[in-house]
Amino acid sequence: MKTKTLNPKTELLLGAGLDVLHFESEEWLSNIAFYKDETRFFADLIEKRKTEDAAQTAYGQILENLDTVHKELFDYLANDIEEHERLLSRLELGEKGLGDADYRDKHRQLKKRMEGFTSNFRQFKKMVFGYVKSL
């Protein structure tokens, strides 16, 4: 049976102190705030560059819809990270029934989601720039 191994950086981080994981969560929230700013920029860019004909293209409509989806995903992901940080606070206060392993497992899941989202957002940015260049 073949087992999947984690990225060495991920293994190191998940074995690190909770303060290191907290720092990574804060970094994710900062990145999400930056991505939100970028989506506003892209929305303005698309709006300024599109022509009457371009506004009717399916590709232009897809980009506008993706922009909206990304904004909603940012909020959803940020809320999950903030909830994760509240769990850390409860853990540090020594709340009964909470374990370090639970926090680390949730952190691992959030890390995968953040990595996937970042990759998808990069593809979206390439599409936006390609679209705007073609106008």
Side-chain angles (χ1 to χ4, degrees), residues 35 116 132:
Y35 295 157
V132 171

mmCIF file with all atom_site columns, all heavy atoms in Angstrom, residues 35 116 132:
data_model
loop_
_atom_site.group_PDB
_atom_site.id
_atom_site.type_symbol
_atom_site.label_atom_id
_atom_site.label_alt_id
_atom_site.label_comp_id
_atom_site.label_asym_id
_atom_site.label_entity_id
_atom_site.label_seq_id
_atom_site.pdbx_PDB_ins_code
_atom_site.Cartn_x
_atom_site.Cartn_y
_atom_site.Cartn_z
_atom_site.occupancy
_atom_site.B_iso_or_equiv
_atom_site.pdbx_formal_charge
_atom_site.auth_seq_id
_atom_site.auth_comp_id
_atom_site.auth_asym_id
_atom_site.auth_atom_id
_atom_site.pdbx_PDB_model_num
ATOM 1  N N   . TYR A 1 35  ? -5.594 39.650 -1.929  1.00 0.00 ? 35  TYR A N   1
ATOM 2  C CA  . TYR A 1 35  ? -6.335 39.107 -3.068  1.00 0.00 ? 35  TYR A CA  1
ATOM 3  C C   . TYR A 1 35  ? -7.643 39.864 -3.275  1.00 0.00 ? 35  TYR A C   1
ATOM 4  O O   . TYR A 1 35  ? -8.067 40.093 -4.414  1.00 0.00 ? 35  TYR A O   1
ATOM 5  C CB  . TYR A 1 35  ? -6.639 37.619 -2.881  1.00 0.00 ? 35  TYR A CB  1
ATOM 6  C CG  . TYR A 1 35  ? -5.433 36.706 -2.847  1.00 0.00 ? 35  TYR A CG  1
ATOM 7  C CD1 . TYR A 1 35  ? -5.518 35.465 -2.235  1.00 0.00 ? 35  TYR A CD1 1
ATOM 8  C CD2 . TYR A 1 35  ? -4.221 37.063 -3.426  1.00 0.00 ? 35  TYR A CD2 1
ATOM 9  C CE1 . TYR A 1 35  ? -4.429 34.601 -2.201  1.00 0.00 ? 35  TYR A CE1 1
ATOM 10 C CE2 . TYR A 1 35  ? -3.137 36.204 -3.386  1.00 0.00 ? 35  TYR A CE2 1
ATOM 11 C CZ  . TYR A 1 35  ? -3.246 34.974 -2.777  1.00 0.00 ? 35  TYR A CZ  1
ATOM 12 O OH  . TYR A 1 35  ? -2.173 34.129 -2.750  1.00 0.00 ? 35  TYR A OH  1
ATOM 13 N N   . GLY A 1 116 ? -4.720 25.401 -2.652  1.00 0.00 ? 116 GLY A N   1
ATOM 14 C CA  . GLY A 1 116 ? -5.567 25.201 -3.825  1.00 0.00 ? 116 GLY A CA  1
ATOM 15 C C   . GLY A 1 116 ? -6.187 26.504 -4.305  1.00 0.00 ? 116 GLY A C   1
ATOM 16 O O   . GLY A 1 116 ? -6.225 26.783 -5.505  1.00 0.00 ? 116 GLY A O   1
ATOM 17 N N   . VAL A 1 132 ? -7.892 41.156 -21.002 1.00 0.00 ? 132 VAL A N   1
ATOM 18 C CA  . VAL A 1 132 ? -7.727 42.604 -21.133 1.00 0.00 ? 132 VAL A CA  1
ATOM 19 C C   . VAL A 1 132 ? -6.768 42.935 -22.265 1.00 0.00 ? 132 VAL A C   1
ATOM 20 O O   . VAL A 1 132 ? -6.984 43.884 -23.014 1.00 0.00 ? 132 VAL A O   1
ATOM 21 C CB  . VAL A 1 132 ? -7.270 43.218 -19.790 1.00 0.00 ? 132 VAL A CB  1
ATOM 22 C CG1 . VAL A 1 132 ? -6.875 44.658 -19.939 1.00 0.00 ? 132 VAL A CG1 1
ATOM 23 C CG2 . VAL A 1 132 ? -8.374 43.080 -18.739 1.00 0.00 ? 132 VAL A CG2 1
#
